[in-house]
Amino acid sequence: MRLQVAPGSFKHAQYVTGCGWVGNELYTCSDDKTVHKVSPDGEDEGKVVDLDSCPTDLHWFPSGNKRQQSDQFAMACSDGTFLLVLRNGRIEKKVDAHKGAVISVRWSNEGTAIGTAGEDGVVKIWSRSGMLRSTLATVDSSVYSLSWSPDSNQIGFTCGKDIIIKPLQPQAKQLQWRAHEGTVLKVDWNAVNGLIVSGGEDRKYKVWDSFGRMLFQSKPLEFAVTAAAWSPNGELFAVGMYDSLRLCDRTGWTYSREHVTTGSVSAISWSSDCTQLAGAGANGSVVFGQVLDRRGGGENISVML
């Protein structure tokens, strides 16, 4: 199995901070205060919306029905707000959420709630319409990334060099462990296999179970790991760093290491069929990766796609 990468022809004017697939269209947001729609071959399909502040993250409403695609995404912004935006670019709601930038925003797996995390070290839970449900946690450092548990009853998030898993139930005990020797920059919790992948400034990526037990850690790489994302089916994950993308299996073993010309990869998004991913670049570019030579089969059959 390998990853075939190619840069898209479209390029934002500034740092691309987030990207997300809906069907076969990729939506990207950038420090140039725009959201664009990009085709799978990297062609610009038009500007979706102009923004008042710099976006920092983008996440589509989860669609359980493959025939009926999502029509709404949540977007975190540097002015402390998050937005609920329709597919056509209309801003449905603007919510004052944090003091300082909102760094991470994620829908729960059922789409019934939204989690946000910010520079202020606060993690909050919101209803799908943007009403505050609870302040889940307050820590003494900026929270760079959060991810929901498979059953959406817990949230995992970064706190300096640690990862914290906090249940939504007020009296339940949280789990916290030292995950990296540098600041943890990304955490992603897969809804299928229940495993967590993390990346940090110590130039390592690691795989954990839901109890904080380490299952794999990479050797120190060339640069800090700035992006990490599971494929939806939990069979693969990708990690990004400066000018580099890696494709790994669920055990952490590297299938493919590819050089890209994006600067630091700030975000990775997988297509719903797990065959394609996109990486958002610090230099304004977007890179596309196609998973090739996938193997499948049964007891006596092996198929290469």
Side-chain angles (χ1 to χ4, degrees):
M1 194 179 301
R2 60 192 175 91
L3 188 67
Q4 183 182 65
V5 298
S9 59
F10 168 69
K11 193 171 183 178
H12 277 278
Q14 295 185 43
Y15 197 116
V16 185
T17 53
C19 59
W21 290 96
V22 57
N24 62 354
E25 295 173 338
L26 182 75
Y27 280 57
T28 62
C29 61
S30 164
D31 279 350
D32 61 15
K33 299 182 181 180
T34 66
V35 177
H36 276 256
K37 183 166 61 174
V38 185
S39 70
D41 54 5
E43 298 289 334
D44 183 24
E45 294 190 344
K47 182 165 63 177
V48 177
V49 63
D50 286 301
L51 304 168
D52 296 328
S53 62
C54 296
T56 56
D57 195 14
L58 179 156
H59 193 222
W60 279 96
F61 179 85
S63 177
N65 185 347
K66 292 185 177 180
R67 294 181 181 179
Q68 185 176 357
Q69 295 174 1
S70 175
D71 63 351
Q72 186 183 52
F73 59 91
M75 189 160 49
C77 296
S78 60
D79 63 356
T81 66
F82 74 89
L83 309 176
L84 298 177
V85 188
L86 295 183
R87 192 168 177 170
N88 62 10
R90 193 177 82 177
I91 297 173
E92 281 281 275
K93 193 162 189 178
K94 182 176 183 178
V95 181
D96 288 316
H98 291 266
K99 295 177 181 178
V102 183
I103 303 176
S104 184
V105 61
R106 284 292 178 269
W107 289 94
S108 65
N109 293 311
E110 295 83 16
T112 56
I114 301 167
T116 62
E119 279 184 332
D120 55 6
V122 180
V123 178
K124 296 182 178 181
I125 309 298
W126 310 80
S127 72
R128 61 177 294 177
S129 61
M131 302 296 291
L132 181 64
R133 285 185 180 171
S134 67
T135 298
L136 186 68
T138 302
V139 295
D140 57 5
S141 62
S142 297
V143 179
Y144 290 109
S145 182
L146 66 83
S147 190
W148 291 81
S149 65
D151 60 8
S152 295
N153 287 329
Q154 303 176 90
I155 283 185
F157 60 92
T158 67
C159 174
K161 299 176 182 179
D162 294 357
I163 292 174
I164 297 175
I165 292 178
K166 180 85 171 179
L168 268 55
Q169 292 82 6
Q171 306 304 323
K173 187 178 179 181
Q174 74 175 29
L175 177 66
Q176 181 171 354
W177 71 92
R178 175 59 53 90
H180 289 263
E181 294 308 309
T183 301
V184 187
L185 299 176
K186 284 289 181 179
V187 61
D188 192 29
W189 199 340
N190 186 256
V192 176
N193 63 31
L195 302 179
I196 299 167
V197 62
S198 64
E201 287 185 344
D202 60 358
R203 314 195 319 273
K204 294 179 181 180
Y205 62 89
K206 302 184 182 184
V207 180
W208 313 86
D209 68 13
S210 58
F211 300 100
R213 296 177 295 208
M214 186 172 65
L215 306 178
F216 175 86
Q217 69 170 330
S218 70
K219 294 179 180 179
L221 306 175
E222 301 89 345
F223 301 100
V225 177
T226 51
W230 285 102
S231 63
N233 63 11
E235 294 299 318
L236 303 168
F237 67 86
V239 294
M241 62 213 79
Y242 181 83
D243 276 356
S244 181
L245 273 174
R246 281 177 181 249
L247 179 70
C248 307
D249 72 4
R250 57 180 288 171
T251 67
W253 190 80
T254 298
Y255 278 125
S256 180
R257 182 180 61 196
E258 303 299 328
H259 176 75
V260 294
T261 55
T262 56
S264 293
V265 179
S266 62
I268 295 171
S269 177
W270 285 84
S271 60
S272 60
D273 62 4
C274 306
T275 62
Q276 191 171 18
L277 60 82
N283 64 5
S285 62
V286 180
V287 66
F288 293 83
Q290 198 83 25
V291 179
L292 302 179
D293 302 338
R294 290 178 297 127
R295 290 186 179 274
E299 187 177 346
N300 300 311
I301 302 171
S302 180
V303 181
M304 181 178 286
L305 301 175

